[in-house]
Structures are given as C-alpha cells and as structure tokens.
C-alpha cells in the first residue's frame, strides 16, 4: 500500500506528526468522532435508563438493586453471541460500509428507545439495551481492525491512545449527561430521548466522511453458527502465541477495571461516606487517568509499538490498587458528604491519587497490547482475532462480577476486594510475562534506553517492518543487544559469545531472549555448527537476526575487523533461497560507559566496576543505515558501512 503523503487516507501520511495531528486528517478524524459519539450514546442511554428504573419508576418484577446488573448483563450478552459473526463480516467487507450500516442500526434502535423513554416502557428499553449491545458487538472488530489499515506502524500507538482516551471521555460524558438529563423535572425522559437520537445522527454523519477501505478477505465464506465460529476464532487467535496471550492480558485488564468500576457507588457510600456526587467524582478521576495514560503511550514509546510499557503499567496497577486498600481502611467515620466536602479532606487526596495513578497505569498497560495485536495479527484475519478478544473480554467481565459478588458474600470488604485484585494482578502479570518473555525483555530495553541512558536512534525506518533481515552492529559494551532491542519494534534473536551467558543477570536476560550461544570451532565444534543452524532457522521463519561481526566487545573503543561468520550465515540462507538484506548499525558514545571495557584491572580491560562512571542518563545513540542486498557482500564492505555510520 502506498505511503504517499499526498494522499491523507493512506498509512504513512504525515507520519512524523504527533497523535493529536491525526484529528486533522480525514483517514482518522471522522472515525474518531464516529466511535466517540457511539460510546457516548451507549452510556447516556444505559445510565439514564438505570437511574430511571432505580429512582423514578416502581417495577415490581425488577428490584432497583438488580437494575444495574440486569442492564449490564443484557448489554454484554450480544458480545458472547455475535462477536464471531461480527469479526467475519468485518474481514469480508469494506469496513467503512460496515460502520455506516451499524450507525444506521443505531438510529433505528434509538428511535425505538426514544419512544420507550417517553412512554416509560421498561420492556422496550430492555430490548434496546440488548440491541445497543448488538450495535457495539458489530462495531467492536471494526474499531480496532480499521486503524492498522489507515495508520502505519509508527502511528498505531498514538492512534490507539487517542481512541482509548476518546472512548473513556465519551463514557464519562455520556454517563454524566444521562444522569443530569433524566433528572430534569417533567421533561427528563423526553430530553434523554432527544439526546439519544441526536447522538446517533451525529455518529452517522461523521461515519459518512470515513474514507472507503479495501476488504481484507473478500472471499471469506460466512459461518453463521455462533458456537462453532466462536470456537474457530479462539483457535485462530491461539495460532499466534504472542497475540493470544496479549488477548488474555487485555481481557484481564477488563476484569481488573470492572472490579473497580462496578464497586465505585458502594465504595463511595460505605467506605468514603460520600453521596452520588462522590461516586461520580471517582468515575471522573478513573476516566481521566485512563485518558492520560493512553495519551502518554506515544510519548513514552517514541512513536513505535512499545510493549515494554505493559510491565510498567502492570506494576503500577498492582502498587496503586494495594495502596488504595491502605489509604481507605483507616478513614474516620463521617456523615454523608458531597464532592466539595470530600475533596476538602486531605485524607481523601491519597485515595484519589491512587485511583488516578492506577487508571493511568491501566492506560499504559492496554494501549500497547492493542497495538501489538493489530500489528502482529494476519491482516486477512485481524477482525476475527479482535472478535475473539471481545468474546474473552465479555467472559472475563462476567467472571469479575461473579468473583466480586462471591467475595462480598463471603464477608470481604470493598477495600479488601481491591487488595485482592491488586495482588492477583501481580500474579497474573508475572505469569503472562514468563509465558511471553518479549514483554519483560522490552521493559528492560525500555528502562535501559530511557532511564539509564539518553538514547537517540537515527534511521530506524531502515529496520524492516516484516520479513527476515540480518542486523550487523559494532560491539562496544555488554548492553549492546539490549539497546538494539529497544530500537526495533520487532523481536531480535542475537548470536552471542557463549561466555556472556555466564554474566550474572545479563546471562539470564539473554537466555530469556533466546539468544543463540556460539563458541569457537576449536573449542566446541558442535556448538559452533548448532549456532549457524539456529541462525539460518531464524531467517527462515522471517525474523530478525542480530550479529556483532567483530566477534567480541572492543577493548580499546575502536571498530575491529569483521570476521567471516556473518558471511557463512548469509550464504547458508541464500542456499535455501532466503535473500535476507543486511542492515548496518552503529552504536555511538557507549565507549567509556559502565558496561564497556574501559577500566584496566591487573593489566586487563574490564567492565562494570564503576557504576556511575559517566553519571546517569549519559547520551548514547544508534545510527541505522539503508539495507544492503546480500549478493556479493563481504565482511570488509559491511565494516565500511558501519564505520561510515560511526562517523555520521
């Protein structure tokens, strides 16, 4: 697909602008406002209806305490029944056509709901809750499958951050508007009815401006059996281990968030001694935190899909959930207070700070995961994978309600449930990161490149977004591989001297990264040959292979001659028909750092003996050159390119 900047509907257009610039581009802005209006309408309708049946109507067959649960369950049910079908339709047809049809359906549903509000007809409104759940089910796969078709890889994190921020702001505004409008004396129901219809029309008008997109799998035959197709979608997602476990990670985030959101009213009343205003304030703080965290992802990731933020977010979610327990358990008894009185107590600031930081970390956790799923999923199956995610999300949210209810029935207090959830989050996160070490590795790389060094990468657009490639780089320090990981949005498998695996911590890290140990042929011929076989296998699988052709870390800061091992790998790969380009790279200003062999002890150059040799956040860099075709390459030519990058 073309990336010409002359066509703003194509990926890559204005790729260097920040995420807010997307709101001025046709390929993103109409879609953003379409989903914003839809999320706002969902929540205006549901919240107004919940308030109506809880406070204003007497419905004998539905107790007020059960109203929220019934409405929530009806809304989630279509996700379980129809997500599989929605994913197929999104893959088969133009996503813009699907969006417009879904928005037409929303108008029809809201017209029916408007009559239900005016007539105060609860069964009709319950039917509309189910239908709006169906509307959201159909829109869900489109919401996340559309973005990777119109944004390039460097825009995905920012685009997803904007969508997540917009969604939570829309949820907040919708709920606030629903509560205020339905309470208007005499005209509340009519005003809500008008608001729902107007929002549906606004969403449809925005959808009309969304550019057309190509169908990703037009030959797909629709399987209308939701049970068999749901199972097929889950198996399809399971085919890519990293993607599937990312789906589980996102679903866990929804489990985690649902525990807090569903308990805000009771938490505000029973623990914080606040009224409905305080419950709404907690929702505002939570939503703003999610929005800020989502927007921060692009800044912290330097405009690439940076899953290293996921462990950072997971750590923060646990830390602040656990601290929320300690912040709320010792609050003194008080009379019921409004929002102003609540904020006036300094003891409540810690509670609000914990909620804000907890939700901010949830934004850091979820946005990179969504971007990774979009990037790593096969384009022809992307919407079905996202549909599988929606199914899992619904199941986890139902599980959240069941477990929270069971804990309350067992005598747990709400702060204890928050504590339990925070501890469970730490356990689940650790389990996921051990199953998929890429998250942990990227986190270590992110910390090294953002918190240990001031790391600047130039020319990273030369790192291929897909397909095999050999990355050749100078070898200056023990953390060279970590810094190269930080520069590449794709995983890199490195060939490394077997002795480095004996270095504490770094050895464990490189084993986790599945680095390939190599020993001199004279020392261990079997390990030598095995390393070359594994290296070719990496290229055969279409992955990136990292090599330091000098054969060892420099002892004088100078670029050493390149050895012939890299040529053997290239030739073995070419013999199998694999034409992997060679990407030259040069690490700069690392000589003299803690991890370089600049210190002399007992006549030998050693590293890692003076921790703050250059202080914290010293400037280092990586220059990446254009790809070199493998045919006719020689070690001297590679060295010359790397040397040129060192001088640039």
């Amino acid at each position: 697909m073309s990336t010409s900047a002359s066509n703003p509907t194509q990926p890559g257009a204005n790729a260097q602008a920040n995420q807010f610039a997307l709101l001025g581009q046709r390929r993103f802005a109409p879609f953003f406002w379409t989903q914003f209006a839809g999320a706002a309408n969902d929540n205006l309708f549901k919240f107004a209806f919940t308030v109506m049946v809880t406070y204003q109507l007497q419905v004998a067959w539905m107790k007020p305490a059960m109203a929220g649960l019934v409405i929530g369950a009806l809304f989630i049910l279509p996700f379980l029944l129809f997500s599989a079908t929605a994913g197929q339709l999104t893959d088969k047809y133009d996503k813009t056509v699907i969006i417009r049809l879904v928005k037409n359906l929303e108008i029809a549903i809201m017209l029916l709901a408007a009559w239900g509000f005016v007539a105060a007809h609860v069964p009709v409104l319950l039917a509309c809750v189910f239908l709006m759940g169906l509307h959201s089910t159909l829109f869900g796969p489109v919401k996340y499958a559309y973005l990777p078709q119109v944004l390039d890889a460097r825009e995905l994190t920012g685009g997803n951050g904007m969508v997540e921020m917009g969604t939570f702001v829309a949820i907040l505004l919708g709920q606030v508007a629903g509560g205020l409008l339905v309470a208007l004396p005499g005209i509340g129901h009519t005003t809500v009815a008008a608001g729902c219809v107007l929002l549906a029309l606004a969403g449809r008008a925005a959808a009309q401006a969304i550019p057309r997109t190509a169908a990703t799998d037009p030959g797909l035959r629709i399987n209308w059996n939701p049970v068999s197709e749901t199972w097929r979608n889950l198996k399809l997602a399971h085919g890519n281990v990293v993607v599937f476990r990312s789906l589980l990670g996102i679903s866990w985030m929804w489990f985690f968030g649902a525990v807090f959101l569903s308990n805000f009213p009771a938490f505000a009343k029973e623990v914080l001694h606040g009224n409905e205003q305080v419950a709404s304030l907690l929702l505002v703080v939570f939503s703003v935190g999610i929005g800020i965290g989502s927007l921060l992802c692009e800044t912290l990731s330097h405009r690439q899909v940076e899953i290293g933020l996921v462990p950072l977010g997971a750590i923060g979610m646990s830390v602040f959930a656990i601290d929320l327990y300690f912040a709320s358990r010792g609050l003194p008894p008080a009379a019921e207070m409004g929002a102003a009185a609540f904020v006036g107590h300094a003891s409540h600031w810690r509670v609000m700070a914990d909620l804000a930081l907890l939700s901010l970390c949830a934004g850091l956790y979820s946005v990179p995961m969504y971007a990774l799923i979009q990037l790593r999923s096969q384009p022809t199956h992307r919407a079905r994978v996202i549909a599988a995610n929606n199914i899992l999300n619904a199941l986890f949210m139902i599980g959240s309600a069941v477990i929270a209810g069971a804990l309350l029935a067992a005598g747990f207090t709400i702060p204890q449930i928050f504590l339990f959830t925070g501890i469970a989050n730490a356990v689940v996160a650790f389990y996921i990161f051990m199953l998929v070490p890429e998250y942990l590795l990227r986190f270590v790389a992110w910390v090294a490149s953002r918190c240990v060094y001031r790391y600047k990468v130039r020319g990273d657009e030369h790192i291929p977004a897909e397909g095999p490639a050999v990355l050749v780089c100078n070898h200056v320090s023990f953390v060279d591989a970590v810094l190269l990981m930080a520069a590449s949005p794709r995983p890199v498998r490195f060939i490394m001297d077997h002795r480095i695996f004996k270095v504490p911590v770094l050895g464990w890290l490189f084993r986790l990264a599945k680095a390939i140990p190599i020993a001199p042929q004279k020392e261990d011929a079997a390990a030598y040959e095995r390393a070359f076989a594994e290296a070719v296998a990496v290229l055969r699988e279409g992955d990136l292979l990292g090599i330091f052709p000098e054969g060892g870390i420099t002892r004088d800061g100078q670029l050493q001659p390149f050895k012939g091992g890299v040529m053997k790998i290239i030739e073995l790969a070419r013999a199998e028909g694999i034409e992997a380009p060679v990407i030259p790279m040069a690490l700069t200003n690392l000589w003299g750092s803690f991890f370089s062999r600049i210190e002399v002890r007992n006549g030998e150059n050693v590293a890692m003996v003076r921790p703050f040799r250059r202080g914290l956040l010293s400037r280092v860099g990586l220059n990446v050159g254009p790809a070199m075709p493998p045919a006719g390459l020689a070690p001297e030519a590679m060295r010359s390119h790397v040397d040129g990058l060192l001088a640039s």
Side-chain angles (χ1 to χ4, degrees):
M1 186 177 285
S2 167
T3 59
S4 168
S6 62
N7 186 349
T9 69
Q10 296 296 326
N14 302 315
Q16 298 306 311
N18 66 34
Q19 56 196 333
F20 292 101
L22 292 172
L23 288 176
Q25 298 174 26
R26 187 180 167 216
R27 60 192 170 122
F28 182 82
F31 168 78
F32 175 87
W33 293 115
T34 299
Q35 67 86 30
F36 185 95
N41 209 8
D42 272 348
N43 286 277
L44 187 156
F45 165 67
K46 286 191 299 176
F47 199 74
F49 180 35
T50 302
V51 170
M52 188 174 84
V53 295
T54 302
Y55 295 103
Q56 298 177 354
L57 300 179
Q58 297 296 321
V59 184
W61 46 272
M62 186 169 66
K63 295 179 180 179
M66 293 296 295
L69 290 175
V70 171
I71 290 170
L74 273 176
F75 189 80
I76 289 174
L77 183 59
F79 284 90
L80 296 175
L81 297 178
F82 304 116
S83 283
T85 304
Q88 293 179 90
L89 293 171
T90 302
D91 277 333
K92 182 175 177 64
Y93 297 109
D94 177 346
K95 293 171 182 57
T96 305
V97 171
I98 297 292
I99 291 172
R100 292 171 184 170
L101 288 173
V102 170
K103 292 293 117 179
N104 290 341
L105 174 64
E106 183 184 359
I107 293 172
I109 296 168
M110 287 297 98
L111 286 171
L112 179 62
W115 180 83
F117 275 115
V118 172
H121 200 294
V122 173
V124 166
L125 290 172
L126 286 173
C128 289
V129 169
F130 179 85
L131 291 172
M132 282 303 285
L134 174 62
H135 155 272
S136 296
T137 301
L138 294 172
F139 188 74
V142 184
K143 177 178 177 179
Y144 291 106
Y146 172 83
L147 290 180
Q149 270 194 269
V150 299
L151 304 180
D152 67 20
R154 293 178 64 82
E155 296 172 310
L156 264 185
T157 296
N160 276 285
M162 291 294 292
V163 168
E164 288 299 293
M165 177 275 298
T167 298
F168 276 90
V169 170
I171 289 171
L172 174 62
L173 293 178
Q175 293 196 352
V176 170
L180 293 175
L181 293 179
V182 77
L184 292 174
I187 59 170
H189 295 186
T190 304
T191 307
V192 169
C196 288
V197 173
L198 287 173
L199 268 176
L201 291 171
R204 180 60 183 86
Q208 192 61 36
I210 298 174
R212 297 291 291 266
T213 59
T216 52
D217 192 4
L220 175 67
R221 294 183 63 182
I222 304 293
N223 174 16
W224 297 101
N225 183 327
V227 177
S228 64
E229 187 60 27
T230 294
W231 181 248
R232 186 184 301 173
N233 280 7
L234 292 173
K235 287 175 66 178
L236 185 68
H238 193 266
N240 185 319
V241 173
V242 173
V243 168
F244 184 71
R245 286 175 178 155
S246 298
L247 298 183
L248 293 177
I250 288 173
S251 297
W252 170 257
M253 193 275 290
W254 282 104
F255 178 105
F256 182 93
V259 169
F260 287 87
L261 289 170
S262 62
N263 282 291
F264 276 167
F267 180 60
K269 181 178 180 180
E270 297 172 13
V271 179
L272 303 179
H273 315 296
N275 61 12
E276 296 90 339
Q277 292 179 352
V278 175
S280 298
L281 176 64
L282 298 183
L283 178 64
V284 170
V285 170
F286 194 87
S287 300
V288 169
I290 286 272
I292 293 172
S294 299
L295 293 177
L296 275 176
C297 286
E298 184 183 62
T299 301
L300 295 176
S301 67
H302 287 197
R303 297 181 54 78
Q304 68 180 24
V305 177
E306 181 51 86
I307 61 174
L309 295 176
V310 175
L312 179 66
I315 292 167
M317 288 162 66
S318 284
V319 167
F320 295 114
I322 292 169
D323 191 67
L324 182 60
Y325 163 76
F326 291 104
S328 57
R329 67 194 293 254
L331 293 177
E336 187 173 276
M337 65 188 86
F342 177 81
V343 173
H345 283 269
S347 58
H348 297 148
W349 297 352
R350 181 177 167 190
V351 171
M352 290 189 290
D354 280 332
L355 273 179
L357 292 169
L358 177 155
S359 55
L360 183 150
C361 290
L364 295 179
Y365 175 95
S366 63
V367 168
M369 276 197 174
Y370 276 118
L372 179 73
I373 290 167
Q374 293 164 336
L375 194 63
R376 301 278 181 90
S377 297
Q378 192 174 339
T380 54
H381 297 76
R382 188 181 284 129
R384 278 167 282 173
V385 169
I386 292 166
N389 177 57
N390 291 339
I391 295 165
L392 290 171
N393 289 350
L395 291 172
F396 273 65
M397 290 172 72
I398 292 169
S400 155
V402 170
I403 292 173
L407 290 174
L408 285 170
F412 278 67
T413 65
I414 292 173
Q416 287 172 339
I417 290 175
F418 291 166
L419 174 66
F420 172 85
T421 306
I423 294 171
N425 180 71
V427 173
V428 169
F430 180 79
Y431 177 67
I432 290 175
F433 301 147
M434 287 299 100
L435 283 177
V436 188
E438 189 181 343
Y439 284 108
L440 193 57
L441 293 168
R442 296 290 309 186
F443 175 62
V444 172
W446 183 84
V447 170
S449 62
R450 307 292 196 275
C451 304
V452 177
Y453 296 111
R454 281 180 290 176
Y455 184 49
K456 183 175 182 179
V457 181
R458 294 195 301 169
D460 55 338
E461 68 274 9
H462 297 306
I463 302 174
E466 57 185 21
V470 179
L471 313 181
V472 296
C473 188
N474 59 321
H475 207 0
V476 191
S477 76
F478 283 97
V479 294
D480 293 353
V482 174
L483 293 175
L484 293 191
M485 281 186 218
S488 170
R490 297 171 59 195
V492 183
R493 293 279 303 277
F494 290 93
I495 295 184
M496 307 188 73
D497 189 312
H498 69 110
R499 288 168 294 188
I500 202 168
F501 291 86
K502 298 176 183 177
V503 176
V505 181
L506 286 176
W508 170 80
L509 185 67
F510 293 137
R511 277 191 290 273
L512 200 62
K514 297 182 180 178
I516 302 167
I518 188 168
Q521 190 172 20
K522 293 179 180 178
E523 182 179 328
D524 190 339
Y528 178 81
E529 293 300 331
R530 186 165 55 249
F532 285 102
E534 287 188 44
V536 173
V538 170
L539 298 176
R540 189 185 306 122
E541 291 165 8
D543 295 328
L544 299 178
L545 179 70
I547 302 178
F548 300 103
E550 294 166 274
I553 297 173
T554 180
R555 295 178 183 275
D556 59 8
Q558 300 302 308
L559 184 64
Q560 307 300 308
F562 281 15
K563 297 184 177 179
V566 63
M567 290 310 305
K568 181 174 180 178
I569 293 169
I570 291 170
E571 288 160 6
L572 288 171
R574 295 193 72 205
E576 295 189 18
I578 304 167
E579 295 288 334
V582 176
I583 313 298
M585 298 179 161
L587 286 161
T588 61
N589 207 34
L590 264 171
W591 179 250
S593 70
F594 169 64
F595 294 101
S596 66
R597 284 175 163 161
I598 193 170
E599 298 290 344
V600 179
R601 294 290 187 273
N602 300 321
E604 286 197 16
N605 290 84
V606 294
M608 296 182 285
V609 293
R610 290 176 59 191
F612 301 103
R613 195 177 187 285
R614 287 202 326 203
L616 288 174
L617 295 175
S618 60
R619 292 183 183 275
V620 300
L622 176 71
N623 297 331
V624 185
M628 299 181 289
L633 262 184
E636 295 78 14
M638 292 183 206
R639 185 184 183 281
S640 176
H641 276 82
V642 172
D643 197 27
L645 291 169
L646 282 170
S648 63

